[in-house]
Amino acid sequence: MSRVFNFSAGPATLPEEVLRQAAEEMVDWHGSGQSVMEMSHRGKEFMGIAAAAEADLRELMGIPANYKVLFLQGGASLQFEMIPINLLRGKGTADYVHTGEWAKKAIKAARIFGNVNVVASAEDKAFTYAPAQAGWKLDKNAAYVHYTANETIGGVEFQWTPETGDVPLVCDMSSNILSRAIDVSKYGLIYAGAQKNIGPAGLTIVIVRDDLVGKAQPTPPPMLDYKTHVDAESMYNTPPTYSIYIAGLVFQWLKKNGGVAAMERKNVEKSKLLYDYLGTTDFYRNPVNPADRSRMNVPFTLKDAALDEAFLKGAKERGMTQLKGHRSVGGMRASIYNAMPVAGVKALVDYMREFEKSHG
Ligand SMILES: *Cc1c(COP(=O)(O)O)cnc(C)c1O
């Protein structure tokens, strides 16, 4: 049996070691005589799995004690709504930075609940850059400032953390969480769907500073209130148990492989391989401002779109899949999250070079 190099944007490739361990533990987890999928979420086995996953995530990201970690469901998309519901706190206005497809969805959802002030937008250049903070028109009375750390579709990533003073900074880190070192204490809330850079779909991680919990006005229905999930330690209702278990295995894998710092070095190396090659050719094109290029998602177009199908077919024959770009931008996209080995990116660059030679 051989595995492909899977460049999917999400659900995305997982570390093979994690999959093998999960396979080994599938039928009988640690002598318990049952699969993790079959366990009560309130039993001591699963409570131990969830507690270890949280402790490992806290260690990996250096999450301070005054932050709560929640394991929720509903994807980043539910957070687009839960954030304004919980964090507007009667203030009425929130600041949003518009950087592309995902920011747009977050803005649209927030507008249901309050006033959204778009403080900066990259729309003038087709969302190919991250607007410098000097140009942001921040409102010091805003309830919070929201930005998208990595635009998964456009391939634009903030290489810096915004400074928002006393206004809580809220960040969608769905597609670059754990890919680089960050200072959690600069944020009011961080959220991420697990299916890009962590584990299976169905799990959403929310990291929230404790003073922001329980201040929603009006009080939301319980499932939409962070306070409910904080008070119940993410067990108000049945959590996505198997997804939490796999995420926990991924956290252990990250720790064994040098943690976030080592991943960041590897991600710099992998993305550089691709961008350096793209810089040498006119056959492929990446439209993003070089300083804002994503280390996680590398979109590129071929000189002639009529060659797209042949490119994808050849890639598949060489064991490389899911390179087709998002339908909104066309072309190709290579998603190269933590679990993508350097060998996968090398194989892709070799193939791109070969394809250019035979079709250029
Ligand atoms: C995938 C993605 C989302 C949407 O996630 P769902 O889990 O499908 O709701 C939101 N934001 C970013 C940056 C994403 O990459």
Side-chain angles (χ1 to χ4, degrees), residues 222-285:
M223 277 295 283
L224 301 180
D225 192 342
Y226 290 132
K227 186 168 190 305
T228 304
H229 301 290
V230 166
D231 290 349
E233 297 182 337
S234 301
M235 302 256 186
Y236 174 71
N237 69 325
T238 316
T241 51
Y242 200 76
S243 296
I244 291 170
Y245 157 69
I246 298 287
L249 294 184
V250 171
F251 299 153
Q252 287 170 19
W253 175 83
L254 287 169
K255 283 174 61 177
K256 223 176 12 190
N257 286 281
V260 171
M263 283 304 131
E264 179 162 8
R265 283 193 295 276
K266 199 175 108 179
N267 292 328
V268 167
E269 180 190 349
K270 287 186 296 182
S271 55
K272 192 169 170 340
L273 277 170
L274 260 167
Y275 290 123
D276 280 358
Y277 169 62
L278 289 169
T280 67
T281 169
D282 294 326
F283 188 79
Y284 304 99
R285 194 172 163 275

Side-chain angles (χ1 to χ4, degrees), residues 83-297:
I83 286 161
I85 288 172
N86 284 270
L87 299 193
L88 278 170
R89 294 166 290 151
K91 290 179 192 280
T93 293
D95 286 352
Y96 277 69
V97 180
H98 191 1
T99 44
E101 293 287 330
W102 291 116
K104 183 163 104 189
K105 291 212 163 133
I107 290 166
K108 190 172 172 206
R111 286 204 159 120
I112 300 169
F113 305 99
N115 261 326
V116 169
N117 181 19
V118 175
V119 294
S121 169
E123 194 165 13
D124 59 337
K125 289 184 186 157
F127 301 111
T128 55
Y129 69 103
Q133 192 175 340
W136 296 15
K137 298 191 173 58
L138 292 173
D139 170 1
K140 63 180 190 323
N141 295 314
Y144 58 90
V145 180
H146 179 283
Y147 80 110
T148 310
N150 183 64
E151 283 285 356
T152 320
I153 294 171
V156 173
E157 182 173 15
F158 282 82
Q159 308 297 333
W160 42 278
T161 303
E163 292 289 343
T164 55
D166 291 338
V167 181
L169 181 61
V170 173
C171 184
D172 180 356
M173 272 187 209
S174 290
S175 50
N176 69 350
I177 190 168
L178 290 165
S179 72
R180 59 193 302 147
I182 58 147
D183 179 354
V184 174
S185 73
K186 290 201 180 301
Y187 295 85
L189 186 148
I190 292 167
Y191 64 105
Q195 73 273 21
K196 312 296 175 33
N197 205 22
I198 294 178
L203 168 65
T204 311
I205 289 176
V206 173
I207 301 164
V208 57
R209 208 174 61 212
D210 57 12
D211 64 286
L212 295 171
V213 175
K215 305 277 167 62
Q217 286 180 32
T219 300
M223 277 295 283
L224 301 180
D225 192 342
Y226 290 132
K227 186 168 190 305
T228 304
H229 301 290
V230 166
D231 290 349
E233 297 182 337
S234 301
M235 302 256 186
Y236 174 71
N237 69 325
T238 316
T241 51
Y242 200 76
S243 296
I244 291 170
Y245 157 69
I246 298 287
L249 294 184
V250 171
F251 299 153
Q252 287 170 19
W253 175 83
L254 287 169
K255 283 174 61 177
K256 223 176 12 190
N257 286 281
V260 171
M263 283 304 131
E264 179 162 8
R265 283 193 295 276
K266 199 175 108 179
N267 292 328
V268 167
E269 180 190 349
K270 287 186 296 182
S271 55
K272 192 169 170 340
L273 277 170
L274 260 167
Y275 290 123
D276 280 358
Y277 169 62
L278 289 169
T280 67
T281 169
D282 294 326
F283 188 79
Y284 304 99
R285 194 172 163 275
N286 170 293
V288 179
N289 179 37
D292 307 319
R293 285 177 168 173
S294 170
R295 293 174 183 167
M296 299 280 98
N297 311 95

